[in-house]
Amino acid sequence: MDQELYSKERSASLDLLLRFQRLLVSKLYPADCVGQVPNTYSPDLLGVGSLLKKYTALLCTHIGDILPVATSIACTSHRHFAEVSYVVDGDLTGILLPELVVSIVLLLSKNAGLMQEAGAIPLLAGLLEHLDRFNHLAPGKERDDNEDLAWPGIMGSFFTGQSCRNNEEVTLIRKADLENHNKDGGFWTVIDGKVYDIKDFQTQSLTGSSIL
């Protein structure tokens, strides 16, 4: 319902494309092919799959043209990124693409053979690099990357060389957590009150596990 209310702000052409996209997905949903022999599909179903491929190709071409331009503007400043993100969010990239990806993943889980026949999935892969470049401009991206590296026991500052004294996002690990982790085959150790994961070093070390 929220999406339908939001649709009032969309252009008529964009709304029509979204309805057409949903119609394609609904026609490919496996409820339409109950009782069919596996790996055999009706000409009508294959026709819809071919139409989905052409639609996806056109959509990806448009987004592939838009994103590099958006990235070149967004890299100027955080304010530019916010403005460009707002525009992209209301364009095909922000409205049609997310729902199309989710729909194709759903169709793939329900009927992988048909989706392979349709051939729409490889077309989406071409957008990954463009999307990745744009998303890397997001404010706080480095902080998020450091959080990924720091979880569950390795400090992000261990890699960046920065002092973590003022870092409020340092993961706190209790002694029980450390012991349970090591019982499960991990190899965390505490040096000067900081937790380090030395499991990878353990396999390369010549000194043996007991000394470590």
Side-chain angles (χ1 to χ4, degrees):
M1 293 301 296
D2 291 339
Q3 288 295 326
E4 294 309 316
L5 290 173
Y6 177 68
S7 70
K8 295 177 181 178
E9 302 174 12
R10 292 196 295 258
S11 66
S13 58
L14 192 56
D15 201 56
L16 186 63
L17 280 172
L18 183 58
R19 291 172 185 271
F20 175 69
Q21 177 176 297
R22 289 173 177 175
L23 180 63
L24 286 176
V25 172
S26 68
K27 291 294 183 183
L28 288 169
Y29 198 74
D32 290 341
C33 53
V34 174
Q36 236 176 321
V37 180
N39 299 324
T40 62
Y41 309 106
S42 68
D44 289 344
L45 206 56
L46 292 174
V48 176
S50 177
L51 197 55
L52 177 66
K53 181 180 180 181
K54 291 177 182 177
Y55 169 80
T56 305
L58 290 171
L59 182 64
C60 289
T61 299
H62 171 78
I63 295 174
D65 291 339
I66 292 292
L67 278 179
V69 178
T71 302
S72 65
I73 299 172
C75 68
T76 309
S77 68
H78 290 336
R79 182 180 175 185
H80 283 79
F81 178 85
E83 294 292 338
V84 170
S85 296
Y86 180 77
V87 174
V88 169
D89 194 42
D91 185 58
L92 305 185
T93 311
I95 294 174
L96 299 181
L97 183 62
E99 187 169 314
L100 179 64
V101 170
V102 172
S103 299
I104 286 181
V105 170
L106 176 64
L107 289 170
L108 186 63
S109 69
K110 294 290 185 180
N111 199 333
L114 177 60
M115 293 310 296
Q116 288 174 354
E117 287 280 343
I121 298 173
L123 299 171
L124 292 169
L127 295 178
L128 290 176
E129 187 176 349
H130 294 305
L131 290 167
D132 195 48
R133 284 178 182 170
F134 184 78
N135 288 334
H136 269 67
L137 298 175
K141 175 253 168 190
E142 280 126 13
R143 182 200 63 207
D144 293 340
D145 281 354
N146 283 339
E147 284 179 355
D148 289 340
L149 290 171
W151 190 87
I154 306 177
M155 309 299 183
S157 57
F158 179 79
F159 295 95
T160 61
Q162 298 171 352
S163 172
C164 62
R165 215 173 298 166
N166 298 323
N167 186 0
E168 297 176 354
E169 297 169 357
V170 170
T171 304
L172 297 179
I173 299 176
R174 298 173 303 174
K175 184 178 180 182
D177 295 334
L178 185 140
E179 291 172 350
N180 288 334
H181 178 81
N182 289 348
K183 284 178 184 175
D184 293 336
F187 207 150
W188 288 353
T189 187
V190 180
I191 303 174
D192 293 333
K194 298 174 186 173
V195 177
Y196 296 92
D197 188 342
I198 59 172
K199 187 168 181 62
D200 289 340
F201 181 73
Q202 176 192 8
T203 60
Q204 303 170 10
S205 173
L206 301 176
T207 60
S209 298
S210 59
I211 295 179
L212 289 177

